[in-house]
Amino acid sequence: MGNVTEQAQARRQAKDTRENVYDLHSEGKELYKKKNYEAALKCFNTAILKCRSPHIDILDNRAAVYTKLENLDAALRDGRRMIQMAKTEVTGYLRSGQILALMGKNEAALGIYNYGIGNLSMSVKNEDVKVDISFDLVRIYILTDKVLQGMVKKLTAKISASKQHDPFVVLPLELIQIVLHQLSFTNILSIRGVSRSWKRLLESIPNLWYHLDLSGAKRQIRLGFVKDCIRYSQYRLKRASLSHCGLGDMCQGITEYISRCQGLEHIDIHRNTGYKWLLTTSHPLKRLTSLILGHEHSIYLSEVAALLAKYTSLQRAEFYSVCLSNDPLEWRHDLYQLKVLKLHCNRGKINHQFPVLDRLKLDDLFTKALHVVELDLADWPIYGLLDFRALIHLEVLNLGISELHEFPLLNPWIRRLSLPGLCIGSGSGQTIKNARLSDLEYLHACLEEPAEVRHLLPLLSPSKGKLRVLHLEVLLPAYSEYGPTVFQPLIASGVLSELTVLNLVSLPVSDDVARLLAENMPRLRTLSLDRSYITGIGVKALVLKQGDKLETLSVRECTKLSHDAVKWARSKGISIISGSSDNIKYQKKIPWG
């Protein structure tokens, strides 16, 4: 009977204690709401002392009071005690992480959150094994896991943000300028919109604005934008690439500001931009050394002569759409500074009934431009013999003239010669023999038929050992393979021994010719055999003989070449340009090993 009484008394005491603890907890929360933190702390302490094992909610509330009283160490002890008592409850992890963040220990807080995510995930996996697990429990764990992951993301973003630094603030100005000079004008405009501080910095560095590059513009350029760019350069503009500047009053306003920059050295004009202002301006650019007029603008040859006469400081002049007018043409002024001259004809505006060669007055031009080093005359319908011997400094000559039937008269020191419009054959043999180009390094020529390769020997023999690039095309297609006998005299002479680039376009090259090339051109890096009769056997001979020296092999429209050969050559490190795969057939495999 006594034991029963004692048990009943113990139960009553426990009940009274629970009720007392509950009352103290409730009173403490009310005091916390009223911001009476000292009194709330006493209630929570008394409630914890009356419990053998305090409830997590009471510890969490006391930790909150400690936080308000700025006793973060005591608050952290309660947070860790909560984690020890219940590792599968989210409360301890949240409270501990919050306190660590307040203490400035962000990485420790991140570790607490990750530790909590791991424990909660492991708890869910273990609970999944039990049969009596309730769906609500799993749902609670998933929700708490999401809460913790959200806290981790916020804290990670905070830590990352604290480690980010503005490079324009940290780096010295000298290093910043080195980096910025690697960027294009478009890139400068893009990063200018990052922030106000970046905008002020970029606009304070004048040499970033020395090149006004509007070539990438896709809509009409505003006059105010051009004014600002010129002002940022402190009116020291050196290069101007103009596009979409207009053809009327807008162009006149823009070019008026550009012409004020007397230090301007280079101008290239593209689409939707006029060029007449260069002729009519009252402030000619005295330091202009380079002028390029794109193919979008047709300019009369008489205007070209006027521009060259007005800007005598030009060293480079390129015009890609020139046409003839009825105005008399005169090359009046000496062009001693001119080094590069490119005149491409607009054939759509040329009357072929008139003698174009006489109207060009090339002899007069050559006497005025004695110091030209590079000359490019493309698409002009010129008939007759051309004499370039008056240009004593000429080293690079490009004659893309389809009506050219005679090999021009040249000085022997020409280094680069491009004659895609001249068909070298039996009719040009004598003038070729008289050329004696001893310094020739580059040759682009056209043949009447593959058998005419032999006529190249007198042209290339004087430059034996100096030729580096050879580009040959055939005018008349061949319908059968040509063996090595056609190329044997040219290769045996040794004039091709130092070649690094060889293009044999539309020449009916066979596997034997490919093997001959591989054996006699040890320095070959790039080889083009487009539209030839080469097969996998020839490719294998080239790759194995050249080894790692051959870098690029072009075999477009080679109908006898199989996919296996291309795949094998690529596996050996060769860059194969095969073009359309429809022209390469699947054939019997060859042992490439």
Side-chain angles (χ1 to χ4, degrees):
M1 188 69 181
N3 292 334
V4 174
T5 304
E6 291 178 358
Q7 290 177 359
Q9 186 178 2
R11 283 196 294 271
R12 284 195 300 271
Q13 290 178 354
K15 182 179 179 181
D16 293 340
T17 301
R18 285 196 298 272
E19 291 176 354
N20 192 12
V21 169
Y22 177 78
D23 293 338
L24 289 169
H25 188 197
S26 300
E27 183 182 356
K29 289 195 290 185
E30 290 297 328
L31 292 169
Y32 180 86
K33 291 179 181 179
K34 296 178 181 179
K35 297 184 179 181
N36 190 353
Y37 302 125
E38 295 290 346
L41 181 59
K42 290 180 181 180
C43 291
F44 292 140
N45 287 335
T46 305
I48 292 172
L49 289 174
K50 290 188 176 185
C51 299
R52 291 183 179 179
S53 178
H55 196 273
I56 289 179
D57 289 342
I58 302 176
L59 290 172
D60 186 45
N61 293 144
R62 189 172 75 168
V65 173
Y66 278 135
T67 303
K68 292 295 183 180
L69 295 173
E70 298 183 357
N71 190 353
L72 298 181
D73 293 333
L76 184 58
R77 283 195 296 269
D78 284 344
R80 289 175 175 172
R81 187 175 176 184
M82 285 187 282
I83 295 174
Q84 292 174 355
M85 292 173 60
K87 291 187 177 181
T88 58
E89 292 288 340
V90 71
T91 309
Y93 302 111
L94 292 176
R95 180 63 64 185
S96 299
Q98 180 186 10
I99 296 168
L100 286 169
L102 291 174
M103 298 172 69
K105 300 178 180 179
N106 291 331
E107 305 214 352
L110 185 59
I112 286 290
Y113 289 145
N114 286 323
Y115 179 62
I117 291 173
N119 287 336
L120 290 173
S121 301
M122 186 65 66
S123 176
V124 171
K125 290 180 182 179
N126 294 336
E127 291 290 345
D128 286 340
V129 180
K130 298 180 181 179
V131 180
D132 58 347
I133 183 173
S134 65
F135 177 75
D136 292 337
L137 180 60
V138 176
R139 185 179 179 188
I140 290 172
Y141 281 135
I142 293 175
L143 289 174
T144 54
D145 190 18
K146 288 184 178 179
V147 171
L148 276 176
Q149 288 185 4
M151 296 290 291
V152 169
K153 289 181 180 178
K154 290 182 181 179
L155 189 56
T156 303
K158 184 177 180 180
I159 293 173
S160 300
S162 65
K163 292 183 178 179
Q164 292 177 355
H165 301 285
D166 187 347
F168 288 174
V169 175
V170 177
L171 298 176
L173 182 59
E174 294 79 4
L175 188 57
I176 292 174
Q177 292 190 12
I178 292 175
V179 173
L180 292 176
H181 277 95
Q182 306 303 316
L183 304 180
S184 65
F185 185 77
T186 305
N187 297 141
I188 295 294
L189 295 179
S190 299
I191 66 174
R192 181 169 163 259
V194 171
S195 65
R196 292 183 179 179
S197 61
W198 283 33
K199 182 176 181 293
R200 287 193 298 268
L201 176 63
L202 294 172
E203 293 174 358
S204 65
I205 305 177
N207 51 16
L208 293 179
W209 306 91
Y210 285 173
H211 182 191
L212 180 63
D213 187 3
L214 307 179
S215 58
K218 297 181 180 179
R219 58 173 181 261
Q220 189 72 29
I221 299 297
R222 295 183 296 105
L223 176 60
F225 171 75
V226 176
K227 287 182 179 180
D228 290 340
C229 293
I230 294 177
R231 180 165 50 84
Y232 299 152
S233 71
Q234 298 180 356
Y235 294 90
R236 300 176 186 175
L237 202 65
K238 292 184 178 181
R239 297 174 61 89
S241 302
L242 306 181
S243 177
H244 286 87
C245 293
L247 301 174
D249 295 337
M250 181 62 70
C251 179
Q252 183 178 357
I254 291 176
T255 53
E256 181 182 351
Y257 271 84
I258 291 177
S259 61
R260 294 181 183 180
C261 303
Q262 288 298 308
L264 198 62
E265 299 175 355
H266 171 88
I267 295 179
D268 56 285
I269 302 176
H270 301 281
R271 53 192 177 277
N272 195 21
T273 303
Y275 67 89
K276 300 283 188 179
W277 62 276
L278 289 169
L279 292 168
T280 59
T281 181
S282 58
H283 303 285
L285 304 169
K286 298 180 180 180
R287 297 185 182 180
L288 190 65
T289 59
S290 177
L291 175 61
I292 300 175
L293 194 62
H295 59 83
E296 301 90 351
H297 300 284
S298 293
I299 181 173
Y300 289 114
L301 191 61
S302 57
E303 294 177 322
V304 172
L307 284 173
L308 295 178
K310 187 168 187 176
Y311 299 94
T312 56
S313 60
L314 280 175
Q315 298 179 12
R316 187 181 195 93
E318 301 179 14
F319 305 93
Y320 291 95
S321 183
V322 183
C323 52
L324 295 174
S325 65
N326 295 325
D327 299 332
L329 176 64
E330 293 185 13
W331 304 100
R332 293 175 295 177
H333 294 270
D334 293 328
L335 307 174
Y336 291 127
Q337 301 293 330
L338 194 62
K339 298 294 188 297
V340 178
L341 178 60
K342 297 185 179 183
L343 300 174
H344 288 206
C345 176
N346 185 342
R347 296 181 70 93
K349 297 185 179 182
I350 293 293
N351 189 343
H352 295 263
Q353 296 178 354
F354 294 98
V356 176
L357 182 58
D358 295 338
R359 299 179 67 184
L360 280 176
K361 298 184 178 181
L362 291 180
D363 293 338
D364 294 342
L365 173 61
F366 294 164
T367 58
K368 301 295 183 181
L370 293 175
H371 295 83
V372 167
V373 177
E374 180 179 351
L375 180 62
D376 187 346
L377 299 175
D379 298 326
W380 290 95
I382 297 177
Y383 304 90
L385 181 63
L386 293 177
D387 189 353
F388 296 94
R389 291 176 296 181
L391 301 175
I392 57 176
H393 298 281
L394 186 64
E395 296 180 1
V396 180
L397 177 61
N398 177 27
L399 294 178
I401 301 174
S402 58
E403 288 81 4
L404 194 64
H405 298 292
E406 296 186 62
F407 194 85
L409 300 177
L410 304 171
N411 290 313
W413 47 81
I414 294 288
R415 293 189 301 106
R416 295 174 60 90
L417 181 61
S418 181
L419 301 171
L422 173 64
C423 291
I424 296 178
S426 57
S428 56
Q430 187 60 38
T431 52
I432 288 179
K433 290 180 180 179
N434 296 331
R436 300 186 180 279
L437 305 180
S438 57
D439 295 331
L440 194 62
E441 300 175 0
Y442 175 98
L443 176 63
H444 180 188
C446 183
L447 306 174
E448 293 179 356
E449 57 179 357
E452 302 294 343
V453 171
R454 64 181 184 275
H455 293 294
L456 290 175
L457 188 57
L459 177 63
L460 300 178
S461 295
S463 62
K464 181 178 180 180
K466 295 183 179 180
L467 192 66
R468 296 293 183 270
V469 179
L470 178 61
H471 184 101
L472 297 179
E473 297 182 24
V474 175
L475 180 63
L476 300 176
Y479 300 99
S480 61
E481 299 180 17
Y482 277 77
T485 54
V486 175
F487 297 90
Q488 184 67 42
L490 195 62
I491 294 176
S493 64
V495 296
L496 308 181
S497 60
E498 300 297 322
L499 275 185
T500 58
V501 179
L502 176 61
N503 296 330
L504 302 177
V505 180
S506 300
L507 267 73
V509 176
S510 63
D511 291 334
D512 294 335
V513 175
R515 189 180 297 108
L516 186 66
L517 297 176
E519 293 174 352
N520 293 274
M521 297 182 185
R523 300 182 182 275
L524 200 61
R525 296 290 181 269
T526 301
L527 177 61
S528 176
L529 300 176
D530 298 339
R531 298 188 292 275
S532 66
Y533 295 106
I534 191 172
T535 68
I537 297 175
V539 170
K540 182 179 180 181
L542 283 169
V543 173
L544 293 180
K545 188 65 178 179
Q546 292 289 329
D548 57 351
K549 295 180 180 179
L550 187 64
E551 299 173 356
T552 304
L553 176 62
S554 179
V555 287
R556 285 174 291 198
E557 301 182 38
C558 294
T559 56
K560 292 189 176 183
L561 188 62
S562 67
H563 282 280
D564 294 327
V566 173
K567 184 177 180 181
W568 175 82
R570 285 174 176 160
S571 68
K572 297 298 182 180
I574 308 297
S575 176
I576 302 294
I577 304 174
S578 58
S580 176
S581 59
D582 297 335
N583 297 322
I584 299 178
K585 299 180 179 179
Y586 290 94
Q587 297 179 349
K588 183 178 179 180
K589 289 188 176 181
I590 297 174
W592 303 108

